[in-house]
Amino acid sequence: MKSSLKSWCAATSAIAALAFALTGCANDSGSTDTASPSADAQSSAASSAPAESSPSGDMGAASLALADSSLGKIVVDGKGMTVYQFDKDTQGADFSACTGPCEDQWPAVPGGTDVTVDGVTGKTGTITGVNGESQLTLDGWPLYYFAGDKKAGDTAGQGVKDVWWVLDAAGTPIK
């Protein structure tokens, strides 16, 4: 009996973790889509930032830098967390298209009045994000974290739903 209970608990935990990982973003009708990252998205970027971080709260978002990864040099925040661009956003717009369930899985990178960049050549700016707070932009693209990235250098959000991308130094999506 104990063995089957352990198996049931393990299976339930695995299903819950998979459901979380597969959550993508709200589609045009507002319902939640699911997605799985591409095989390349499972790779991690190398970074000298602290190993433990999470994509919520103050992530050192007042600074952007470059980190080496299997995708090439990509933009990360000041703590080494990968930042992403969303194809459903309009480059240069003053709003984010990531709303509802989307913003739970793809939290906005907080903006600030003074952004420090190291190796990043694209123009930084801010918009008012869906939560009413300042959201950092790069080359006119609002920036996001992926809730599935657990530590500095993770790139699990790359290619999700074929609409989420890491950025190069100029702020151009790497597809």
Side-chain angles (χ1 to χ4, degrees), residues 3-173:
S3 176
S4 69
L5 179 59
K6 284 182 181 178
S7 295
W8 181 84
C9 288
T12 302
S13 295
I15 291 169
L18 181 61
F20 175 77
L22 294 179
T23 302
C25 188
N27 65 19
D28 292 334
S29 67
S31 64
T32 301
D33 289 338
T34 58
S36 60
S38 66
D40 290 338
Q42 299 301 326
S43 63
S44 293
S47 173
S48 60
E52 291 301 317
S53 293
S54 67
S56 62
D58 179 16
M59 296 301 304
S63 65
L64 295 176
L66 294 180
D68 290 323
S69 77
S70 64
L71 302 165
K73 289 197 177 287
I74 61 171
V75 178
V76 297
D77 75 0
K79 294 193 178 186
M81 295 301 291
T82 303
V83 300
Y84 297 89
Q85 171 269 337
F86 183 36
D87 276 348
K88 292 185 180 183
D89 281 329
T90 301
Q91 188 175 20
D94 61 353
F95 61 91
S96 167
C98 180
T99 61
C102 179
E103 62 184 310
D104 294 334
Q105 292 302 306
W106 300 92
V109 175
T113 56
D114 192 24
V115 179
T116 303
V117 296
D118 182 9
V120 176
T121 58
K123 181 180 177 184
T124 60
T126 60
I127 61 168
T128 301
V130 296
N131 63 359
E133 300 293 322
S134 181
Q135 181 174 358
L136 192 59
T137 64
L138 180 59
D139 196 33
W141 292 112
L143 299 179
Y144 305 88
Y145 296 113
F146 177 49
D149 286 349
K150 299 302 180 193
K151 65 184 186 318
D154 283 353
T155 58
Q158 173 68 3
V160 170
K161 296 294 288 178
D162 289 325
V163 295
W164 291 99
W165 311 104
V166 298
L167 300 163
D168 69 13
T172 302

